[in-house]
Amino acid sequence: MRQVLEGLDLNLTIADRFEVLFDNPECDFVFPLLNRAGFFNSEMLCPLLCERAGLPYLGASPILRGLSDDKHLAKRAARDADVPTAPWAIYRRGAPIDMELCPTGTRFVVKPNNSSASWGVHDATDRASILAAIEAVHALGHDALVEPFIDGSDVEVPVVTIGGQPVIMPMLIFRQADPSHLRTYYEKRDLVDRSQKYSLDPFENTEMAGRIADLTRRVWDEYRPFDYGRFEFRVNEETGEVTFLELNLNCNLWSQKVFGRTAQLAGWTQEQLIETILAESLTRHGLLI
């Protein structure tokens, strides 16, 4: 990222701690990359500090970053937009655990409500294992979300802003060899070999992609302006079922991950992808004429 931005002849100041924003730094614009900082709701801190300092920055506002990162609230926004999502229950840390709120089913996913890349995810099959998983997530310092497990693969919908409007980039699918496999944090972060479990491929089901694009457009108005983000849906290619999972704003731009791969499919270089995202945000803030 540093090499790309310096290649655009930008005068960069690099920092890896939030303290540099406690006092107003000598800069014109902030490109946030430090999102997951090891504490609850940390993704909101950088834009909050930028707002405090009166600094323009790339990405959505603090409240929208919080809304998108809270899976419970994101699912409510999707439901209000008439976008299908699995039934769920939220268990806030410190609040009573009412097991009667759990959705029905035979297999469940219990996960931190604000985690990324399946960190802290548990597989559960009955009330006892659900309760144990909720308590384990609470012990990590997070709220717990419970929803039925859905067989299928995850379709990633990268969205960038072009000419002030959100534009859907080529979709990709994490196609699973076993649709019932629950992907782990270690697999998503490429910390273990997952080549036999799933692959990241272009999503070429035209009919389903059209429906997913329509669902994405329904839900993204809740988060505008966001500059760029990734919307995620669970799909069953055999039945045609599509279910909203979550979204990630200011997500990973690494060249080997979803955004880097979608740029290649669109005929862009990694440099062109980042320049487009940055230029649109600078224009929105009145810094680029």
Side-chain angles (χ1 to χ4, degrees), residues 1-14 278:
M1 182 66 69
R2 178 176 187 166
Q3 291 173 343
V4 170
L5 294 176
E6 288 179 339
L8 298 174
D9 293 327
L10 298 174
N11 181 19
L12 297 185
T13 298
I14 309 296
L278 176 60

Side-chain angles (χ1 to χ4, degrees), residues 90-98 134 138 143:
I90 181 69
Y91 293 95
R92 303 289 187 185
R93 185 166 57 104
I97 299 177
D98 183 357
I134 292 171
H138 285 177
D143 301 332

Side-chain angles (χ1 to χ4, degrees), residues 145-200:
L145 187 88
V146 179
E147 60 186 349
F149 181 87
I150 302 173
D151 284 355
S153 297
D154 295 345
V155 168
E156 308 294 330
V157 187
V159 178
V160 299
T161 304
I162 299 178
Q165 298 297 321
V167 173
I168 295 174
M169 299 285 284
M171 299 179 192
L172 295 105
I173 182 171
F174 282 104
R175 182 167 281 112
Q176 299 196 176
D178 176 6
S180 66
H181 174 65
L182 179 62
R183 288 196 293 152
T184 67
Y185 173 83
Y186 297 96
E187 291 168 352
K188 289 189 176 183
R189 292 298 192 204
D190 292 321
L191 300 174
V192 296
D193 179 26
R194 45 80 170 174
S195 59
Q196 303 304 311
K197 295 181 179 179
Y198 66 91
S199 58
L200 180 60

Side-chain angles (χ1 to χ4, degrees), residues 35-50:
N35 296 319
R36 297 291 175 184
F39 57 89
F40 190 57
N41 290 154
S42 61
E43 68 286 338
M44 299 175 67
L45 182 57
C46 185
L48 279 170
L49 289 173
C50 289

